Amino acid sequence: MKKTTVLQVCVAFVLCSLQAVIASAVDCPDQETGGTSCTISLEKLLERAAQHAELIYRVSEESKLLFEEMLVSFGGVNLYVPSGTMCAPKTVSMSKSEIQQISDKWILHSVLILIQFWTNPLADLQASLENYENVSSALLNRSKWMSSKLTSLEQGVVVLIRQILGDGGLLLEVPEETSDHAVSSDMLETVRRDYSVLYCFRKDAHKIETFLKLLKCRQIDKENCSFF
């Protein structure tokens, strides 16, 4: 009962936070057609992108908890994900010590790669969750919100790349998606696959948040960036 109560409090808090962020989109409302220019300052863009990424990560944590709560009715489903499981594209996987050595260009490209990598899996997850008999509206709403806001964050990152690196900075190769997100006819397999998506996306959402906060620190604060 305590776990459920705490979860409900967390859900209510996140819902309040969602409204605040939705009120100020990451992408530029005054940008020209094609997104080649933007009237919002670089500082404000970085601040919004970092806040956006932080909230996406928090909602992904809430979604994972809600999914685990939903699965009580399945009884004894083993949702263990091995600690060595590779979630992100290999080009984005690195240790904390390596993060300090990377360039701003690498950060921006890695964030864009991660966002684009998870666009389809999150859409598939949203469609899959609608087939669960006991899925809560809170979990469904969060899955839809994450898909929508990931797209919004992608638009903001594209603007950041143009401002920091120029138009040529958008030239990059996105690794092909290697995970199998095909819809399964076996319910237990579907449950495990959907949980794996939530588990891995939560880890990569935290990476995106960390990268954008580090970039903001380097571009704007320029001091004490070593704690990332």
Side-chain angles (χ1 to χ4, degrees):
M1 180 65 70
K2 282 186 178 180
K3 184 177 180 181
T4 302
T5 303
V6 171
L7 181 61
Q8 289 174 342
V9 171
C10 290
V11 167
F13 177 75
V14 171
L15 280 175
C16 292
S17 300
L18 292 180
Q19 310 230 343
V21 171
I22 290 172
S24 78
V26 173
D27 52 320
C28 300
D30 300 323
Q31 64 187 20
E32 295 177 0
T33 304
T36 55
S37 67
C38 179
T39 58
I40 298 178
S41 68
L42 178 61
E43 180 177 1
K44 183 61 69 175
L45 276 172
L46 285 166
E47 182 181 345
R48 289 186 182 182
Q51 289 175 348
H52 216 69
E54 180 181 3
L55 192 50
I56 288 174
Y57 170 61
R58 283 168 48 197
V59 173
S60 71
E61 284 197 312
E62 288 291 337
S63 299
K64 177 175 171 289
L65 285 173
L66 286 166
F67 193 90
E68 290 169 351
E69 289 280 307
M70 177 187 69
L71 290 185
V72 172
S73 62
F74 283 83
V77 178
N78 181 12
L79 295 177
Y80 173 71
V81 179
S83 58
T85 299
M86 178 68 68
C87 291
K90 291 182 180 180
T91 54
V92 184
S93 301
M94 63 189 323
S95 67
K96 287 185 177 179
S97 60
E98 292 174 309
I99 290 177
Q100 296 302 323
Q101 309 302 320
I102 59 180
S103 66
D104 292 351
K105 179 178 180 180
W106 190 96
I107 290 176
L108 285 164
H109 282 182
S110 295
V111 168
L112 189 58
I113 286 171
L114 283 170
I115 291 172
Q116 294 175 345
F117 179 82
W118 282 108
T119 298
N120 288 336
L122 283 183
D124 293 341
L125 173 66
Q126 180 182 330
S128 179
L129 287 174
E130 292 175 354
N131 295 321
Y132 287 72
E133 292 182 358
N134 58 338
V135 65
S136 66
S137 59
L139 181 54
L140 281 175
N141 289 339
R142 274 156 184 73
S143 69
K144 292 176 183 177
W145 186 89
M146 286 190 296
S147 291
S148 171
K149 294 309 165 187
L150 199 65
T151 299
S152 178
L153 182 59
E154 178 183 6
Q155 294 168 353
V157 170
V158 168
V159 174
L160 281 172
I161 289 175
R162 285 194 172 112
Q163 285 219 17
I164 296 174
L165 304 178
D167 287 337
L170 283 172
L171 301 176
L172 74 159
E173 292 184 6
V174 178
E176 292 184 4
E177 186 181 320
T178 55
S179 301
D180 181 13
H181 301 289
V183 176
S184 169
S185 58
D186 182 83
M187 189 60 191
L188 183 56
E189 184 182 338
T190 298
V191 167
R192 286 174 174 159
R193 183 204 65 225
D194 291 345
Y195 183 76
S196 178
V197 170
L198 282 171
Y199 173 89
C200 284
F201 176 67
R202 179 180 61 90
K203 289 179 65 176
D204 287 348
H206 188 249
K207 255 187 203 130
I208 292 171
E209 177 196 359
T210 300
F211 287 162
L212 286 174
K213 285 184 175 179
L214 174 59
L215 182 65
K216 176 181 177 293
C217 185
R218 287 180 175 182
Q219 291 282 327
I220 306 301
D221 304 327
K222 301 184 184 300
E223 293 180 359
N224 301 321
C225 300
S226 60
F227 64 88
F228 287 94

